[in-house]
């Protein structure tokens, strides 16, 4: 986190990056270089520094790193898209190893009764992949420590923890190989999610916010604990009676002892088993409901909501601080870029430090890794200043374009000379034509739903796909015609400029390919159209796949309805903003799963393959004395006693008493 006092510190001093290598002793600063053999090289270095500062400002990164030429090249290479993609893939790979390591989860079904034996990788395969991942992480922490310098490295707890986790993982990996993969415990497996958290700044901020919220959350948690303990004791005293059968039933079911009573009320706090806990006592006397209603009101409606309000308040306050810190980092980055660019005008006729030449800024902007739309908007704004130097305020205002949403203008429509084509262009580009397409999609959905209802009780092998196949063929032809007419009216670039058109067009092409494949394999539809399976999919599977895509295509109506579009965009923004919390949940579940596998290995024995229907346990053998007179008479009439190990008595069909003696397991 940047310090607010850093604004008053020199931005290009030896303190930046925590090392004297930023500017070696005796090397001239950018501002001091006017003429000489090294002027061009020094000017290029200043421009490269400005490029890095601007990229730091765009990504809200700290500018406390080395600024010499080789470090700048390494810094930009490290934050390039390729390197960051390699690092992200490595994190995914090391987390995915848990699914193929022993015990493996690569099976088609999760039911342990009749799933096949999972594939167990040979010793050294997953360890080799893990070694590659650890080497990438070692290179990552080495580059980071070099770029920020030793002084900053010692102050960063995440980098120190990164190094510790990496060393522990390497040592545990060596132990695994020395024991030929038969070690009882792998310490490095629960540590793997750390690599995910360390690489995400938002997850770090979320964890920091949770840590700051813990004291106030602990106070509410203490109130909840007192609330549970008091009502547990009240319940155990209230539902203990020698004469009241209703109280005794409540006690035996939910308040037998302290752990069971505490567990019952803890579950009741979430209203998961309400009113089941109350039923035995409430059936005896309605007044007992006061106890449970009071417990639920105080716990669920007051204390739990108070906990939610505290968490929301803490996160909102921390969000404001995070935004302020991000804004400060952007201002520091732009201020540093202004400082190194303003010296390039010092040797001109302008006074030293007056401003930045627009040509220099445009040259720097060409090298910056930036969205093309924002880059174009900033370049147009710079050109509007002409040849005048950019002051500090004007230079800062240029970066306000990053906070603006760029609205792309649609490509120009094709111009036709024919009046008929111009009229067709007007009709097929009108919004009413989109409404017609939505109406056809709704009709297609209704027909599919109708056939699903009519054929609900008909097995798939007995269904007649003739009518549904004809209707699907007609609708797909309409969708293809709609695509071609829109391309005619808007042009290909204009058609692809709208995401909804891309969605429609892609699904239409896929549906057309599936329909042509169906016709090529199974010929044209006809009554009783039930051919044998040919190729990879049967006719019913092809029809089902087409219907699923047609139902999915119905989502095209969302952009056409403003309220649905607003709700959908809000949900998408919520998903994007919840990625950090989702990452925290993944880390928690991953760690608990790994720890659970290690703790309960061999404790829970999975049953072998068996029938999906549970069979009742065998009945004990019936001794002859349990059926007085029946078996004795039955034996004389042709009945036979069971073998010594038979679980039940059997009689031959000729026995007249068979239905009274015969039993089935």
């Amino acid at each position: 986190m940047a310090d607010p006092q850093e604004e008053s510190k020199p931005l290009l001093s030896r303190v930046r990056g925590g090392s004297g290598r930023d500017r070696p002793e005796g090397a001239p600063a950018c501002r001091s270089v006017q003429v000489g053999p090294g002027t061009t090289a020094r000017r290029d270095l200043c421009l490269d520094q400005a490029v890095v500062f601007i990229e730091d400002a765009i990504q809200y990164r700290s500018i406390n790193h080395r600024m010499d030429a080789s470090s700048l090249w390494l810094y930009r290479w490290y934050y390039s898209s390729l390197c960051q993609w390699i690092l992200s893939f490595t994190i995914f790979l090391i987390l995915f190893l848990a699914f193929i390591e022993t015990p493996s989860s690569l099976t088609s079904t999760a039911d342990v009764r009749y799933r096949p034996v999972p594939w167990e990788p040979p010793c050294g395969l997953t360890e080799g992949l893990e070694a590659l991942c650890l080497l990438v992480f070692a290179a990552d922490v080495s580059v980071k420590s070099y770029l920020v310098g030793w002084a900053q490295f010692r102050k960063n707890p995440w980098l120190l923890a990164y190094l510790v986790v990496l060393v522990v993982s390497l040592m545990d990996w060596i132990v695994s190989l020395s024991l030929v993969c038969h070690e009882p415990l792998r310490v490095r497996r629960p540590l793997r999610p750390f690599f995910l958290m360390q690489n995400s700044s938002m997850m770090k901020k979320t964890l920091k916010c949770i840590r700051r919220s813990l004291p106030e959350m602990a106070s509410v948690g203490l109130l909840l604990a007192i609330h549970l303990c008091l009502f547990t004791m009240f319940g155990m005293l209230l539902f203990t009676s020698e004469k009241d059968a209703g109280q005794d039933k409540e006690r035996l079911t939910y308040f037998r002892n302290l752990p069971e009573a505490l567990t019952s009320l803890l579950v009741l706090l979430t209203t998961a088993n309400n009113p089941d806990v109350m039923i035995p006592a409430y059936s005896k006397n309605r007044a007992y409901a006061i106890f449970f209603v009071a417990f639920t009101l105080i716990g669920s409606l007051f204390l739990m909501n108070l906990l939610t309000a505290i968490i929301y308040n803490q996160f909102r306050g921390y969000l404001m601080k995070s935004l302020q810190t991000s804004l400060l980092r952007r201002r520091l980055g732009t201020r540093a870029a202004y400082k190194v660019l303003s010296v390039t005008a010092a040797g001109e006729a302008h006074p030293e430090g007056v401003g930045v030449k627009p040509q220099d800024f445009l040259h720097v902007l060409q090298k910056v890794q930036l969205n093309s739309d924002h880059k174009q908007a900033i370049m147009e704004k710079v050109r509007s200043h002409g040849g005048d130097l950019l002051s500090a305020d004007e230079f800062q205002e240029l970066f306000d374009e990053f906070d603006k949403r760029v609205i792309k203008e649609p490509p120009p429509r094709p111009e036709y000379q024919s009046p008929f084509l111009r009229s067709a262009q007007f009709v097929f580009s009108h919004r009413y034509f989109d409404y017609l397409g939505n109406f056809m999609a709704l009709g297609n959905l209704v027909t599919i739903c109708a056939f699903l209802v009519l054929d609900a009780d008909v097995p798939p092998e007995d269904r007649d796909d003739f009518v549904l196949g004809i209707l699907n063929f007609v609708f797909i032809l309409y969708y293809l015609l709609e695509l071609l007419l829109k391309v005619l009216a808007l042009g290909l670039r204009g058609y692809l400029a709208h995401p909804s058109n891309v969605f429609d067009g892609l699904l239409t092409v896929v549906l057309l390919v599936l329909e042509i494949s169906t016709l090529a394999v199974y010929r044209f539809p006809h009554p009783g159209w039930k051919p044998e399976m040919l190729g990879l999919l049967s006719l019913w599977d092809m029809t089902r796949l087409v219907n699923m895509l047609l139902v999915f295509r119905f989502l095209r109506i969302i952009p056409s309805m403003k309220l649905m579009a607003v709700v959908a965009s809000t949900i998408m923004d919520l998903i994007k903003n919840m990625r950090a919390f989702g990452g925290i949940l993944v880390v928690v579940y991953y760690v608990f799963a790994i720890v659970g596998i290690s703790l309960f290995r061999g404790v829970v024995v999975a049953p072998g393959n068996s029938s999906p229907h549970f069979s009742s346990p065998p009945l004990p053998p019936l001794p002859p004395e349990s059926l007085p007179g029946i078996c004795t008479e039955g034996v004389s009439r042709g009945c036979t006693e069971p073998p010594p190990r038979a679980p039940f008595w059997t009689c031959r069909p000729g026995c007249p008493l068979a239905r009274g003696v015969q039993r089935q397991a």
Side-chain angles (χ1 to χ4, degrees), residues 338-554:
Y338 175 79
K339 286 292 184 181
V340 297
L341 286 177
S342 61
V343 300
T344 59
E348 307 292 336
H350 308 283
E352 182 177 351
V354 168
V356 176
K357 295 173 62 176
Q359 297 83 355
D360 293 338
F361 182 71
L362 291 177
H363 178 71
V364 167
L365 203 60
Q366 294 290 343
K367 299 181 179 181
V368 174
Q369 297 179 3
L370 179 63
N371 181 273
S372 59
D373 298 326
H374 288 96
K375 182 181 293 187
Q376 188 65 28
I378 294 177
M379 292 176 66
E380 292 178 357
K381 197 169 182 179
V382 171
R383 293 191 182 101
S384 64
H385 286 80
D388 299 333
L389 295 180
L390 298 173
S391 63
D393 293 336
E394 293 173 341
F395 190 83
Q396 186 70 51
E397 290 176 357
L398 294 175
F399 292 90
D400 294 338
E401 297 293 329
F402 296 123
D403 301 324
K404 299 178 181 179
R405 180 172 297 181
V406 178
I407 301 177
K408 296 182 179 180
E409 295 184 359
R413 298 179 180 179
E415 298 181 359
Y416 297 107
Q417 301 297 330
S418 172
F420 174 76
L421 291 179
R422 287 199 298 268
S423 301
Q425 184 181 33
F426 173 78
V427 171
F428 298 130
S429 61
H430 201 274
R431 66 177 184 276
Y432 287 155
F433 187 67
D434 292 333
Y435 295 159
L436 177 62
N438 294 337
F439 179 77
M440 294 295 293
L442 178 61
N444 194 358
L445 185 66
V446 170
T447 57
I448 295 175
C449 183
F451 276 94
L452 290 176
V453 172
L454 293 175
D455 296 339
D457 298 329
V458 181
E461 61 272 8
D462 297 335
R463 296 181 183 180
D464 191 354
D465 302 324
F466 168 65
V467 179
L468 187 59
I470 292 295
L471 291 176
N472 287 343
F473 185 72
V474 172
F475 279 112
I476 291 174
L477 285 181
Y478 173 79
Y479 297 150
L480 178 62
L481 180 63
E482 181 187 26
L483 185 152
L484 296 177
L485 292 177
K486 283 189 175 182
V487 171
L488 174 68
L490 303 175
L492 183 59
R493 293 181 56 193
Y495 180 84
L496 298 177
H498 300 278
S500 59
N501 290 339
V502 176
F503 176 78
D504 287 348
L506 182 61
L507 283 181
T508 300
V509 172
V510 174
L511 288 169
L512 184 63
V513 171
L514 287 176
E515 195 68 24
I516 293 176
S517 302
T518 304
L519 296 180
V521 175
Y522 296 105
R523 306 304 177 185
F524 288 94
H526 54 79
W529 191 32
K530 295 300 297 180
E532 297 294 333
M533 178 177 175
L534 300 174
L536 297 177
L537 299 175
S538 64
L539 177 61
W540 166 247
D541 292 333
M542 296 285 287
T543 305
R544 183 175 56 176
L545 182 58
V546 169
N547 289 336
M548 286 191 293
L549 291 176
L550 289 173
V551 172
F552 184 65
R553 191 182 182 276
F554 183 71

Side-chain angles (χ1 to χ4, degrees), residues 129-283:
L129 295 176
E130 190 174 11
L132 293 177
C133 296
L134 294 178
L135 288 177
V136 173
F137 294 140
D140 179 49
V141 71
S142 301
V143 172
K144 283 184 176 179
S145 61
Y146 170 77
L147 290 175
V148 300
W150 176 244
Q152 293 294 329
F153 182 82
R154 289 181 301 175
K155 298 177 183 179
N156 194 324
W158 281 99
L159 289 180
L160 294 175
Y162 195 2
L163 183 60
V164 171
V165 170
L166 191 58
V167 171
V168 172
S169 299
L170 287 173
M171 293 176 61
D172 190 63
W173 179 82
I174 295 174
V175 171
S176 296
L177 287 186
S178 62
L179 296 177
V180 199
C181 306
H182 292 294
E183 71 280 7
L185 179 64
R186 294 186 180 183
V187 181
R188 65 186 183 276
R189 295 182 71 183
L191 300 178
R192 289 173 182 172
F194 177 82
F195 300 120
L196 174 62
M197 293 189 297
Q198 196 278 332
N199 195 52
S200 173
S201 60
M202 289 302 299
M203 291 181 65
K204 294 178 184 177
K205 293 179 180 180
T206 304
L207 286 176
K208 191 173 183 179
C209 182
I210 293 175
R211 181 176 60 83
R212 291 187 174 184
S213 305
L214 285 179
E216 297 187 18
M217 293 170 59
S219 61
V220 181
L222 181 60
L223 288 177
L224 282 173
I226 296 174
H227 171 69
L228 281 173
C229 292
L230 290 179
F231 273 87
T232 298
M233 290 185 288
F234 286 154
M236 294 184 68
L237 294 173
L238 183 63
F239 300 113
T240 300
S241 177
E242 298 178 356
K243 300 179 180 180
D244 197 336
Q247 287 182 346
D248 192 59
K249 186 177 180 180
E250 179 76 29
R251 179 185 67 82
L252 293 176
T253 307
Y254 296 104
F255 293 89
R256 179 185 298 273
N257 49 46
L258 184 62
E260 290 187 7
L262 189 61
T263 303
S264 299
L265 291 183
L266 181 61
V267 178
L268 180 61
L269 186 63
T270 64
T271 66
N273 59 342
N274 185 37
D276 295 343
V277 177
M278 184 177 64
I279 287 178
Y282 183 77
S283 301

